[in-house]
């Protein structure tokens, strides 16, 4: 099975790899894993005035999982929280041309986005509890 | 492929009349062969692998017994013995032999066996939600960075050697952890079997059942994460 050019590009030049400090103001962290294949994904957003100003990821997994999370961070930047909620795994599948056996990688990326958003919301609702 | 397809359609049609011999239509009393016309009968797709070998649904299995039963049944269904039989019988024997092989491979391995039991008892992996082990994930991602730093480093340099020493130690620790997980899993399997043997229908027993299944799921998932990073380490440092 050959990876699409876009997957290869993200894999070779991952965008926004790295991390923020978890307890930093406005940072939401999503940490997810796929027990079926053992892939692990960490996706973080930095929010200012309801706008995602920066996003970072770290992924341990196959090329498609890395590409999915790399693409997700690209898409997240500049979006509002509400817009970010609307990112679907199928959008990622389409953009990266993922084959059926790799669809779970895009699902993992969507889960990571959701988890990061939820974590941000939780911290925003009661900032003292996040410390 | 074609043959496989034929078998699938065939057994689906035949399964409907499982209690009846597909050939002589008499009531079936034999297990895999009709007692009246001695024709081979398809193993139903609904039959789980434990039942397939006449085993109770337990996680501790006598491997010698399993192997003996597998050989016995393999002989009974071996396609070679059906070369002069009708096409239907050939298809059935081939299908049964294939099912049997998968069943044996699954039950022989304690990890696959537990995964399979979880599927039977609790539906697919995703049906049991466990909270992601954040600490383990952090560790894996951090280790992954060290692995990458080592890959990029000049291996003969001081830094390269230091990274290697660290990775070797990490690998040992992870191997140990994987073993601990497997021991823990074994304990849970024993508990599961004991619970099944007691066969209580109390709400307490149901709670215990759910707790054991969830623990099993958790350990199996975490073991997969650890196994992946260990394999990655092994591929890098040899």
């Amino acid at each position: 099975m050959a990876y699409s050019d876009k997957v290869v590009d993200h894999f070779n030049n991952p965008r926004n790899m790295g991390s923020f400090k978890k307890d930093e103001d406005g940072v939401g962290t999503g940490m997810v894993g796929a027990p079926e294949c053992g892939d692990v994904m960490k996706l973080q957003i930095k929010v200012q005035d309801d706008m995602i100003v920066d996003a970072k990821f770290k992924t341990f997994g196959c090329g498609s999982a890395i590409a999915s999370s790399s693409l997700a961070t690209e898409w997240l930047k500049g979006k509002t929280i509400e817009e970010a909620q609307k990112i679907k795994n199928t959008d990622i599948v389409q953009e990266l041309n993922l084959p059926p056996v790799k669809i779970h990688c895009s699902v993992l990326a969507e889960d990571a986005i959701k988890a990061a958003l939820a974590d941000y919301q939780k911290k925003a609702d009661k900032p003292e509890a996040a410390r | 492929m074609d043959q496989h397809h034929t078998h699938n359609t065939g057994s689906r049609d035949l399964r409907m009349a499982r209690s009846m011999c597909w050939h002589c239509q008499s009531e079936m009393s034999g297990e895999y062969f009709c007692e009246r016309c001695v024709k081979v009968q398809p193993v139903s797709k609904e039959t789980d692998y434990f039942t397939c070998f006449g085993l109770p649904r337990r996680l501790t299995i006598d491997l010698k017994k399993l192997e003996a039963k597998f050989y016995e049944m393999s002989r009974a269904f071996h396609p070679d013995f059906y070369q002069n039989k009708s096409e239907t019988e050939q298809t059935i024997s081939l299908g049964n032999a294939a099912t049997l092989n998968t069943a044996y491979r699954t039950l022989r391995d304690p990890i696959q066996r537990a995964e399979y039991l979880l599927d039977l008892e609790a539906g697919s992996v995703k049906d049991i939600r466990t909270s992601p082990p954040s600490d383990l994930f952090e560790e894996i991602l951090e280790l992954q960075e060290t692995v990458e730093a080592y890959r990029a480093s000049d291996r003969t340099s001081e830094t390269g050697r230091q990274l290697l020493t660290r990775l070797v130690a990490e690998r040992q620790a992870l191997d140990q952890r994987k073993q601990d997980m497997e021991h823990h899993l074994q304990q849970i399997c024993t508990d599961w079997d004991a619970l099944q043997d007691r066969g209580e229908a109390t709400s307490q027993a149901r709670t215990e059942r759910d707790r054991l299944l969830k623990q099993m799921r958790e350990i199996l998932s975490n073991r997969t994460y650890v196994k992946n990073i260990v394999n990655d380490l092994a591929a890098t440092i040899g």
Side-chain angles (χ1 to χ4, degrees), chain A residues 17-86:
Chain A
M17 206 152 77
S19 59
F20 304 122
K21 281 210 175 72
K22 270 187 176 177
D23 48 11
E24 205 177 312
D25 265 346
V27 167
T29 304
M31 186 81 100
V32 294
E36 301 90 337
C37 57
D39 285 2
V40 174
M41 206 177 268
K42 174 169 150 182
L43 193 147
Q44 292 181 299
I45 50 169
K46 193 184 265 184
V47 183
Q48 269 167 21
D49 303 326
D50 214 38
M51 177 79 84
I52 298 170
V53 292
D54 205 355
K56 291 208 180 293
F57 84 95
K58 272 188 198 177
T59 293
F60 173 61
C62 65
S64 303
I66 291 169
S68 295
S69 39
S70 168
L71 177 69
T73 54
E74 257 193 339
W75 278 355
L76 283 168
K77 283 198 207 176
K79 280 201 165 59
T80 62
I81 298 290
E82 205 189 325
E83 286 165 345
Q85 299 275 15
K86 291 184 188 140

Side-chain angles (χ1 to χ4, degrees), chain B residues 129-189:
Chain B
R129 271 284 163 204
T130 54
S131 49
S134 296
D135 292 350
L136 177 63
F137 287 178
E138 285 284 7
E139 256 179 79
I140 288 173
L141 293 173
E142 201 177 302
L143 188 55
Q144 173 69 0
E145 266 169 35
T146 317
V147 170
E148 257 150 36
Y150 174 69
R151 279 189 191 135
S153 74
D154 169 8
R155 301 190 182 187
T156 54
S157 71
E158 180 62 24
T159 322
R161 279 198 299 273
Q162 274 173 3
L163 285 170
L164 181 63
T165 314
R166 207 174 125 193
L167 289 178
V168 169
E170 292 276 13
R171 186 186 170 184
Q172 260 175 355
L174 283 169
D175 269 332
Q176 182 59 47
R177 203 141 128 195
K178 191 162 142 261
Q179 271 181 34
D180 291 346
M181 285 176 171
E182 280 159 13
H183 281 140
H184 190 186
L185 180 68
Q186 215 170 18
Q187 184 53 52
I188 293 168
C189 290

Side-chain angles (χ1 to χ4, degrees), chain B residues 20-40:
Chain B
M20 212 190 263
C21 170
W22 60 270
H23 184 252
C24 69
Q25 257 106 63
S26 66
E27 188 97 0
M28 274 282 296
S29 52
E31 207 177 354
Y32 296 114
F33 296 90
C34 172
E35 292 204 324
R36 203 171 127 215
C37 69
V38 213
K39 296 280 190 219
V40 64

